[in-house]
Structures are given as C-alpha cells and as structure tokens.
Amino acid sequence: EHSGTQSKASKKQSTVYRGLGRCVFLLSILLLSSCSVTKSVRKKTPPQTPSNTVKPKEVTKVTPTPLPPQPVKKSLTTAEKVNLYLVKFGAVAQAEMKTYKIPASITLAQGLLESGFGEGRLAVEGNNNFGIKCHKDWNGERIYHDDDEEGECFRVYQDAATSYRDHSLFLSERQRYAFLFELKEKDYKAWAKGLKKAGYATDPKYPDKLIRLIERFELDRFDGKEEVVVELSPAPQPQDGTANVYYVQKIDLASCH
C-alpha cells in the first residue's frame, strides 16, 4: 500500500514538472517574440554627417532697397539761362544805372556775354561777370585764365554784386571811357560801339553781339526809371515726373555767339 501511494505521488510530481516545463517553454517563446517585435519597431538612428549636422544661424546682411531711377533735370536752353540771369541781376543793373548812369541794358548784355550766361569759369570761381582783368591797380584776389594770351590775370570778387559795382567804377573812373557818359543814357547802340572803340574788348564783333542780346531779350526795358520785375515762367509739366524747368519763349540766341 505504501509503495502504491508513493507511485501515485511520483506520478503527480512528474505531471507537475511537465506542466512547469511547458510554462517555461511558453514563456521563453513569448520573450523571444517580444524582443523580435521590439527590434523590428526600433529605428536605427543614422550617424550624423556634415550634410545633416545643424549649423549655427548665420547673420543676414541687410541690403538697402534700391531707389527707383530719379528724374534727371534736363539741360537748360540758352533762353532759360538768360532768363535766370535776368532774375538774379536785373535789379542790380538798374541800381547801378541810377548811380553811375550806365545803361542797364548794356551792363546786362556785357554780363551775359562776358560770363557765358553766368556759367563761365571766371563767373563761377571768381564771381567775375565782366571779364575785368587785374591791371596794375588791383590788390585783391586773382584768378588766371586763358584769354587773348595764356594765363592772364583776372579779378576775383567776394560776390557777383561786387563785380557789378566794380564794373561801374571801372567805366566811370577811367578817362578812356569818359566820352561814353556824354551819350544818351538809352542809346545802347552808341554805348555798344563806344565800348569797342575805347578798347574794352578786342573782338571786332563785340558791339554787334551786345546789340543782338539787347534786342532779342528786350534788355532795353531795364533802361527805364521803373524797376523791371522778371518772373520765372514754369514750363508745362512733363508726364514722366521730371523736375520743373523755367524758360523764356520765342527767343533764338544762335546768332549771338
């Protein structure tokens, strides 16, 4: 009986061992399968290369926005230059006429011609509107410019108005111009010819050039007692946005050069 009991007990024990072995086997299979799933899901991180390495942020240089093309003011015509000159010096010439009895028309015509309508080198750099040379009695500043001869000495003035005053003194204080003041004040033709006769200019056409300027621009209107006011006349505004330009109409100065 005891041996039978032992036999039954050993059978139960072996059954338990077999059950445990199956459980261990099943657990092993489950663990292996879970590891394989994890390996299949996990992604391999590629090694970093220079192409995918994060670079430090660069400082961006700001380039100024280019402006649209600016309107270019057209070159002034000769008539426009003359008009601007008269606006500047018309009243000055009339004031000199009242004091020194020199026709304003002659003064303006000489100023226009000698200064190149206010744009010549002597006028721009030396405020010399009448091409007056140094001579022996000049103690002021000087500028050298090619004229009848190379590198001649010309007077330099503090401003253009001083040049006008010196022009009046130059004519009124020199004996060779004395006969001009015996002429009628409004006889600009006689004055023009007298200036050439007295030696103011060497150009044989000097009187004709002065007379043409006076007549084409009606400079003799400045010879009256009343002050002449010259206004800038605006040109029609172009559609391309260019700047306003002032002009005098119906004037041809080609024959005055």
Side-chain angles (χ1 to χ4, degrees):
E1 181 179 358
H2 180 71
S3 61
T5 302
Q6 286 183 345
S7 176
K8 289 180 181 179
S10 61
K11 287 180 181 179
K12 287 181 181 181
Q13 189 176 10
S14 61
T15 302
V16 172
Y17 287 151
R18 282 196 297 271
L20 289 173
R22 289 190 187 122
C23 291
V24 172
F25 178 74
L26 291 173
L27 288 172
S28 300
I29 293 174
L30 288 172
L31 288 173
L32 290 172
S33 61
S34 63
C35 290
S36 62
V37 171
T38 303
K39 289 181 180 180
S40 63
V41 173
R42 187 178 298 167
K43 294 181 180 179
K44 186 177 181 181
T45 304
Q48 289 187 343
T49 61
S51 60
N52 59 19
T53 302
V54 179
K55 297 180 179 179
K57 188 176 181 180
E58 296 182 358
V59 178
T60 304
K61 293 182 180 180
V62 179
T63 303
T65 303
L67 296 175
Q70 298 299 303
V72 179
K73 188 174 181 180
K74 73 181 185 66
S75 298
L76 296 178
T77 65
T78 301
E80 292 166 351
K81 294 176 184 179
V82 170
N83 190 36
L84 289 173
Y85 191 90
L86 296 179
V87 170
K88 292 180 182 179
F89 301 115
V92 178
Q94 282 194 294
E96 294 299 312
M97 177 182 65
K98 291 177 182 179
T99 304
Y100 294 96
K101 308 305 178 184
I102 302 170
S105 59
I106 285 292
T107 301
L108 289 170
Q110 282 192 283
L112 285 164
L113 189 61
E114 297 286 351
S115 72
F117 311 108
E119 295 185 345
R121 177 172 176 260
L122 294 178
V124 173
E125 298 182 21
N127 288 316
N128 190 331
N129 278 253
F130 299 94
I132 298 179
K133 297 179 181 179
C134 294
H135 300 285
K136 296 179 180 180
D137 58 345
W138 180 250
N139 296 318
E141 293 186 38
R142 307 176 178 207
I143 185 173
Y144 295 89
H145 185 73
D146 295 344
D147 191 50
D148 296 328
E149 298 179 6
E150 184 178 352
E152 291 193 80
C153 181
F154 290 85
R155 302 183 180 190
V156 173
Y157 302 98
Q158 182 178 359
D159 51 49
T162 305
S163 172
Y164 268 74
R165 174 52 54 90
D166 194 45
H167 171 263
S168 299
L169 295 173
F170 189 84
L171 296 181
S172 61
E173 294 180 353
R174 281 171 168 72
Q175 186 61 35
R176 59 177 172 151
Y177 297 111
F179 72 96
L180 293 173
F181 295 89
E182 298 176 3
L183 302 173
K184 293 181 180 180
E185 194 171 316
K186 294 186 178 182
D187 192 354
Y188 61 82
K189 291 184 178 180
W191 269 83
K193 295 175 182 177
L195 285 169
K196 174 64 179 69
K197 180 180 179 180
Y200 189 95
T202 58
D203 184 358
K205 295 182 179 180
Y206 192 75
D208 295 333
K209 291 180 179 180
L210 294 179
I211 292 170
R212 288 195 189 100
L213 281 168
I214 291 170
E215 294 181 348
R216 290 182 180 276
F217 289 95
E218 299 178 349
L219 300 182
D220 55 332
R221 59 196 159 110
F222 292 90
D223 292 339
K225 293 182 179 180
E226 294 185 3
E227 182 179 350
V228 178
V229 178
V230 183
E231 296 181 355
L232 292 174
S233 178
Q237 285 296 300
Q239 299 301 318
D240 58 358
T242 52
N244 197 16
V245 177
Y246 299 92
Y247 69 108
V248 176
Q249 293 178 313
K250 298 181 180 178
I251 298 294
D252 178 18
L253 198 63
S255 59
C256 293
H257 294 291

